[in-house]
Amino acid sequence: MWNDAGGLLLWMSNPAWHSTVWQTYDYDLDVNGTYYGARAGCDAHHVQVDLVDWKVLAVNHTGEELRGAEVRAEVLDLSGRPLADRQRREVDIAASATAQAFAVPRPDGDHPLHLVRLRLTHADGRTLSQNTYWRYEQPEDMRALNDLTGARLQISGARTVRRDGRLSLSVTVSNRGRVVAPMVRLALRDHRSGKRVLPARYSDNYLWLLPGEERDITVSCPLGSHDRGDLEVTAKGYRTSTVSTRGRR
């Protein structure tokens, strides 16, 4: 955006049939992981890494300067254990501009697949942006995820409110296991039939949860014929079992 490009073109935002590439939503209005990645990249304040040289960049999409922000980077194995010292740097980001932080070197030892967790915080400590990358040397290194066992999801809450013609459910999803829970996908379902409720809006989805980590998520749908007790939220990650919680007052 700040170098050679002044805009962005997204080709084929939705497919005529289910697919696993590039589209942001399906013909049945189910939203895919691409949407949440693109949306995160458009956050008012964002932290990201260059996949070529692994230099971390803090981005300010707003019209006001951001002063005293901090960029942090952690390198973790698939059990969530640190493989290197945490990196930190304070940055000032001009309006509609970026600021370089540091490069994230590869860890010592044999760790062909590992995670790089980035965080951008405000001077008052508030998290402005969080981003998780999986870094590997060869594509086949990703096969390590097939042997990943020990993540244990838990979902609770599901408190519901009616507002502006929509029914909203707030849940907390957590990883109570001993390894990373990759690509945790939440889904709003009709409890009686088990079918997906579409369309639905999620505050976030397709999560990478470290051991002991939890996230608060809000899901909403049009009121229609649904009631609080009719709905449930399920969560399932790659190589994890499905868990659910019912809607309640």
Side-chain angles (χ1 to χ4, degrees):
M1 179 173 176
W2 292 272
N3 297 322
D4 302 325
L8 175 68
L9 174 66
L10 178 64
W11 177 67
M12 205 182 78
S13 59
N14 67 297
W17 195 251
H18 283 295
S19 173
T20 58
V21 294
W22 64 60
Q23 77 271 5
T24 54
Y25 62 96
D26 289 329
Y27 68 91
D28 57 3
L29 302 182
D30 190 11
V31 182
N32 297 298
T34 300
Y35 167 82
Y36 297 97
R39 189 182 68 177
C42 295
D43 282 344
H45 301 102
H46 184 63
V47 62
Q48 63 190 46
V49 73
D50 187 321
L51 297 180
V52 176
D53 54 20
W54 289 89
K55 291 182 178 179
V56 178
L57 193 72
V59 182
N60 181 5
H61 284 294
T62 75
E64 298 181 359
E65 182 183 19
L66 180 64
R67 298 187 60 83
E70 184 180 70
V71 177
R72 306 176 192 173
E74 296 177 279
V75 180
L76 309 165
D77 67 11
L78 296 182
S79 297
R81 292 188 294 263
L83 298 175
D85 292 336
R86 177 183 296 176
Q87 295 175 268
R88 301 172 182 259
R89 183 172 181 180
E90 185 175 303
V91 294
D92 297 327
I93 320 173
S96 189
T98 65
Q100 291 278 356
F102 42 70
V104 181
R106 292 186 177 274
D108 296 331
D110 182 23
H111 303 285
L113 173 64
H114 55 271
L115 304 182
V116 177
R117 168 68 67 88
L118 305 179
R119 190 185 299 271
L120 176 66
T121 58
H122 192 275
D124 62 11
R126 288 181 293 118
T127 297
L128 299 174
S129 175
Q130 179 175 283
N131 218 340
T132 303
Y133 294 84
W134 54 97
R135 181 164 59 177
Y136 54 89
E137 297 176 3
Q138 303 295 330
E140 53 266 28
D141 294 337
M142 293 291 290
R143 292 174 181 165
L145 295 177
N146 295 333
D147 300 323
L148 193 63
T149 59
R152 184 168 59 87
L153 296 181
Q154 178 177 302
I155 188 168
S156 60
R159 295 189 177 275
T160 60
V161 296
R162 298 189 184 196
R163 183 183 298 117
D164 300 328
R166 300 186 69 83
L167 189 61
S168 296
L169 294 83
S170 298
V171 302
T172 299
V173 58
S174 58
N175 177 12
R176 300 302 183 187
R178 62 182 186 275
V179 299
V180 172
M183 297 296 287
V184 177
R185 182 190 185 192
L186 280 73
L188 183 63
R189 298 182 182 275
D190 184 293
H191 175 72
R192 296 166 298 184
S193 67
K195 293 182 179 180
R196 297 285 305 276
V197 175
L198 299 169
R201 298 175 185 168
Y202 300 78
S203 60
D204 204 357
N205 213 337
Y206 292 87
L207 314 171
W208 282 69
L209 295 176
L210 303 179
E213 187 174 25
E214 64 180 30
R215 297 281 292 278
D216 295 327
I217 304 295
T218 299
V219 189
S220 71
C221 67
L223 274 175
S225 59
H226 298 295
D227 200 1
R228 290 176 172 88
D230 297 336
L231 300 176
E232 67 176 354
V233 179
T234 62
K236 178 175 175 53
Y238 188 71
R239 303 286 293 169
T240 70
S241 300
T242 301
V243 295
S244 65
T245 185
R246 291 278 299 276
R248 56 188 175 88
R249 295 181 185 274

